[in-house]
Amino acid sequence: MRDDLDQIEAAFLGTPLAGLPIGHGPSGTVLVTDVDPDRLHEVWQAAEALVPVIGRRPVLVTDDFDDALTIRSEPEQGPSESELRAFAEAAASSEPWLTHRHHCEDQQVDEDEIEFYARGTTGVDLTALVPDVVLPTPLPALERALYDRLLADADLHTQVLGNVRLVTQTDYWYEPDSVLLMLLPTSNVRSSAYWVDFYGALTEEDRQRLGPRTEPVGGRRRPFGR
């Protein structure tokens, strides 16, 4: 409703959100467009501070991969209060880290595989760090031993760190060309998972299981985090 948009625009005055185009988004959300990609944290912080005022929790989304993520001329119906309450209750009782375990956590490493796993993404053979590991052993146990012993070897740690920048540094993170702020029709963190998805959790059931650890980090259409 236009009154709702007017109230939100009024709340934006004096913040980095003032003057940005605003309109109706999907499923009862409100979209704020033309967000400066270089000011994402500042914009999100401003919107987060306004949650007690406007009753909407903010997430940052990108339309780089979805032309349909645009302002609508008319509002779309969002979930009912009962539906959203049921979602939040299911999220509150879930075990996300058990549900979303990676299959490799069950991998058993044999003696003929130790060198393969000891190299990993580092390109450096770390087999000498774990000569006393009893094999076969669960992969997480091997990785833990490698990690702890690598940290104790400053020279080797420096060598490895230079080879794993792809997974340890932010230089390679995806940077969207276009960013929108999506204001969800809820102030509840667990409920916010109803509108957003994450890699490996694309369905509503999967998002329920992420609820206890859900933070407003991205949008349903290709979220990129914050």
Side-chain angles (χ1 to χ4, degrees):
M1 300 178 190
R2 184 63 237 181
D3 287 348
D4 189 25
L5 299 182
D6 290 341
Q7 291 175 4
I8 294 173
E9 285 184 312
F12 284 175
L13 293 177
T15 77
L17 297 161
L20 293 181
I22 184 173
H24 303 293
S27 301
T29 63
V30 168
L31 289 178
V32 181
T33 64
D34 296 350
V35 174
D36 185 347
D38 294 326
R39 301 180 68 190
L40 297 185
H41 191 222
E42 181 182 356
V43 166
W44 183 86
Q45 281 185 314
E48 176 72 6
L50 291 173
V51 171
V53 178
I54 62 178
R56 288 176 174 267
R57 187 157 296 280
V59 295
L60 292 169
V61 298
T62 180
D63 58 354
D64 280 0
F65 309 96
D66 190 348
D67 295 336
L69 189 59
T70 58
I71 286 178
R72 291 154 167 74
S73 57
E74 296 293 334
E76 281 190 1
Q77 182 67 40
S80 65
E81 288 188 15
S82 60
E83 181 181 0
L84 203 55
R85 189 183 310 112
F87 182 96
E89 289 173 354
S93 62
S94 68
E95 295 287 350
W97 304 124
L98 294 179
T99 301
H100 295 283
R101 292 175 71 253
H102 194 277
H103 64 84
C104 73
E105 294 184 42
D106 298 318
Q107 178 71 39
Q108 291 288 316
V109 180
D110 296 317
E111 187 172 354
D112 59 346
E113 300 174 308
I114 188 71
E115 184 177 341
F116 170 79
Y117 286 106
R119 286 182 180 274
T121 59
T122 71
V124 179
D125 188 357
L126 304 177
T127 309
L129 294 182
V130 287
D132 56 340
V133 172
V134 179
L135 301 173
T137 189
L139 179 57
L142 174 64
E143 292 179 332
R144 183 78 239 185
L146 286 168
Y147 179 75
D148 289 340
R149 296 174 189 185
L150 179 63
L151 291 182
D153 188 325
D155 292 337
L156 189 58
H157 179 260
T158 299
Q159 181 183 355
V160 167
L161 193 60
N163 291 347
V164 295
R165 293 181 68 252
L166 178 63
V167 293
T168 61
Q169 304 294 316
T170 61
D171 310 41
Y172 298 90
W173 285 15
Y174 162 65
E175 297 182 5
D177 294 322
S178 174
V179 181
L180 304 88
L181 181 72
M182 178 182 282
L183 301 174
L184 310 177
T186 182
S187 60
N188 182 276
V189 173
R190 288 195 176 105
S191 297
S192 67
Y194 180 92
W195 288 271
V196 297
D197 62 29
F198 302 83
Y199 179 75
L202 303 179
T203 68
E204 181 176 323
E205 183 179 2
D206 287 337
R207 292 195 297 276
Q208 286 177 343
R209 293 167 179 167
L210 279 176
R213 294 290 296 184
T214 295
E215 295 292 341
V217 300
R220 170 171 271 181
R221 295 167 176 80
R222 301 294 182 100
F224 57 86
R226 65 169 171 87

